[in-house]
Amino acid sequence: QVQLVESGGGLVQAGGSLRLSCAASGSMFSINAMGWYRQAPGKQRELVALISRGGSINYADSVKGRFTISRDNAKNTVSLQMNSLKPEDTAVYYCHALTIRNYWGQGTQVTVSS
């Protein structure tokens, strides 16, 4: 079992920055990758950024150059630094951990005003 707790969402103006953090606990040895997904109203949940156990990183095209994912294995945390935020980044952001199954955090709201 893996538990994920997110923090750091909020309201920001377009062009601003936010940092999301996710603290993981439980069966850490079983985690193959961690990342962030988001879901906007009326849309499907989509991948934002993913970092593997070995450090390989993937970003959605829409956030490349603006968002940075990082992982602190010693602290069992994964963070998402979001810069140059746009109104279309508004969504609920979910922390995700992949083992032999998917684990999700409770979600944190990010709202970007124009």
Side-chain angles (χ1 to χ4, degrees):
Q1 293 284 334
V2 175
Q3 295 79 42
L4 304 170
V5 178
E6 302 121 334
S7 60
L11 172 64
V12 66
Q13 289 188 333
S17 298
L18 282 175
R19 184 176 180 87
L20 306 182
S21 293
C22 175
S25 61
S27 301
M28 303 301 300
F29 66 91
S30 64
I31 296 178
N32 295 314
M34 294 188 71
W36 293 90
Y37 285 71
R38 67 186 181 187
Q39 188 167 17
K43 295 187 177 182
Q44 290 188 329
R45 191 172 297 189
E46 63 176 2
L47 174 68
V48 176
L50 184 71
I51 183 166
S52 72
R53 182 189 302 201
S56 298
I57 292 174
N58 287 301
Y59 293 103
D61 288 342
S62 59
V63 307
K64 283 180 181 177
R66 300 188 298 122
F67 291 11
T68 302
I69 189 171
S70 60
R71 184 172 176 176
D72 186 332
N73 290 326
K75 296 182 178 180
N76 296 329
T77 59
V78 62
S79 299
L80 185 69
Q81 178 66 40
M82 305 185 293
N83 298 328
S84 302
L85 283 160
K86 304 175 181 180
E88 51 263 45
D89 294 318
T90 295
V92 177
Y93 284 69
Y94 296 91
C95 181
H96 172 258
L98 176 66
T99 64
I100 58 173
R101 53 160 289 185
N102 293 302
Y103 290 92
W104 299 95
Q106 80 281 4
T108 185
Q109 178 71 46
V110 171
T111 302
V112 185
S113 63
S114 57

